[in-house]
Amino acid sequence: MVNGETYLSLHGPIRDDASTVIGVISVSTNVTAEVSAEATRHQAEDLRLFIAQHDPLTGLPGRSALIEHLNALAFTEQGPGSLLLVDIDDFKLINEGMDCLRATR
C-alpha cells in the first residue's frame, strides 16, 4: 500500500534459451478502486442482513433472527432446551410512545 492506494504486483523470471534466469519481470497494477468497491459491497450486505434480522425500532433481533438461531441450536449437541414466548397486552401503545420519543431526538 502506497499513499493509501493498493497495488497488485506480479513477478516472474525471464529465461534465456537455456532456461537460465537472466532477469525478472515485474508488473504492478493499482487496484484501489476494486478493493474499495468490494469493501463497500461487503458493508452494504452486512447492513442489509442486519436490517432483515432486527427490529427497526429497538434494534433487537427479530423473528427471522430467532428462527435462524433456533435452527442452528437444533443441529447442535447441546441437549434439551426451552423457549419462553411472552405476549404483552397493548404493547402497541408502548411502541407508539417510543416512536414519539425517537421523533423528538
Side-chain angles (χ1 to χ4, degrees):
M1 190 179 288
V2 177
N3 297 328
E5 295 181 344
T6 303
Y7 289 86
L8 172 65
S9 297
L10 303 172
H11 312 282
I14 300 173
R15 299 181 186 272
D16 64 9
D17 293 338
S19 292
T20 303
V21 176
I22 59 171
V24 175
I25 186 167
S26 179
V27 178
S28 293
T29 303
N30 186 336
V31 293
T32 305
E34 290 84 353
V35 170
S36 178
E38 180 62 29
T40 301
R41 278 191 297 276
H42 184 68
Q43 289 172 342
E45 177 63 20
D46 287 348
L47 179 60
R48 185 199 63 76
L49 185 60
F50 182 86
I51 290 170
Q53 293 184 333
H54 291 78
D55 179 76
L57 180 62
T58 64
L60 294 171
R63 182 176 294 140
S64 64
L66 174 64
I67 291 169
E68 186 176 314
H69 181 70
L70 292 174
N71 281 332
L73 285 176
F75 294 104
T76 65
E77 306 272 333
Q78 291 187 353
S82 61
L83 173 64
L84 175 65
L85 298 175
V86 178
D87 184 16
I88 301 174
D89 291 336
D90 298 322
F91 193 72
K92 182 178 179 188
L93 296 173
I94 295 170
N95 274 341
E96 289 170 354
M98 293 293 287
D99 280 339
C100 290
L101 288 176
R102 180 176 279 182
T104 60
R105 289 184 187 175

